[in-house]
């Protein structure tokens, strides 16, 4: 079996949560700030939520295509990533609320389940963090 790398995202980050991140192609150039701070930048949890939700919509499209279903133009995923702490140990939790207007709830649920099995972000977190997916 041969692995074909489809894309490699490259960033250079300095200063941690109070720093900056820039992609190698310059298309991403952002200030970072800690969650809840008054800093002007975004934070890793927001970036993770944006990346995962975008990828998840792509996986929904693949699942729908395999079933010959057209995704609604207003398909959306609201992702929430919790940065949590228990007894000094930091961890993440996630919720993905998926909106598939006009698709019957049972079919929508099956698409979400299929997408969650194929989305690379979902696969990376499987068994590592608590994830709840909900059709809204």
């Amino acid at each position: 079996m041969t692995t074909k790398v489809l894309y490699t995202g490259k960033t250079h980050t300095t200063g941690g949560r109070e720093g900056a991140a820039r992609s190698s192609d310059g298309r991403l150039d952002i200030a970072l700030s800690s969650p809840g701070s008054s800093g002007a930048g975004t934070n890793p949890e927001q970036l993770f939520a944006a990346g995962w939700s975008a990828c998840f919509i792509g996986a929904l499209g693949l699942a729908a295509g395999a079933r010959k279903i057209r995704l609604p133009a207003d398909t959306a995923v609201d992702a929430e990533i919790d940065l949590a702490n228990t007894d000094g140990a930091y961890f993440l939790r996630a919720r993905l609320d998926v909106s598939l207007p006009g698709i019957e709830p049972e079919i929508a649920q099956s698409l979400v389940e299929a997408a969650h099995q194929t989305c690379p972000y979902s696969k990376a977190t499987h068994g590592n963090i608590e994830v709840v997916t909900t059709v809204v």
Side-chain angles (χ1 to χ4, degrees):
M1 177 157 49
T2 302
T3 299
K4 179 181 178 184
V5 175
L6 302 175
Y7 178 77
T8 300
K10 297 179 185 178
T11 62
H12 179 76
T13 302
T14 58
R17 288 184 174 272
E18 298 297 330
R22 180 177 168 83
S23 63
S24 60
D25 62 7
R27 295 177 75 181
L28 176 72
D29 191 358
I30 56 171
L32 300 170
S33 60
S34 294
S37 75
S38 60
T42 188
N43 59 65
E45 291 72 28
Q46 289 174 332
L47 292 169
F48 189 44
W52 193 349
S53 57
C55 185
F56 201 86
I57 290 173
L60 284 168
L62 291 174
R67 292 168 175 78
K68 300 197 182 338
I69 297 170
R70 181 180 210 132
L71 282 185
D74 50 353
T75 294
V77 175
D78 292 324
E80 297 179 359
I81 304 296
D82 296 330
L83 173 62
N85 183 305
T86 298
D87 299 326
Y90 292 94
F91 61 96
L92 300 175
R93 289 187 305 213
R95 288 172 301 289
L96 303 176
D97 292 336
V98 182
S99 175
L100 295 165
I103 295 184
E104 294 181 32
E106 306 81 35
I107 294 170
Q109 184 63 43
S110 72
L111 292 174
V112 167
E113 289 170 6
H116 197 45
Q117 294 302 311
T118 60
C119 172
Y121 282 72
S122 294
K123 289 167 121 181
T125 59
H126 183 75
N128 295 312
I129 69 171
E130 177 186 328
V131 179
V132 175
T133 59
T134 306
V135 175
V136 295

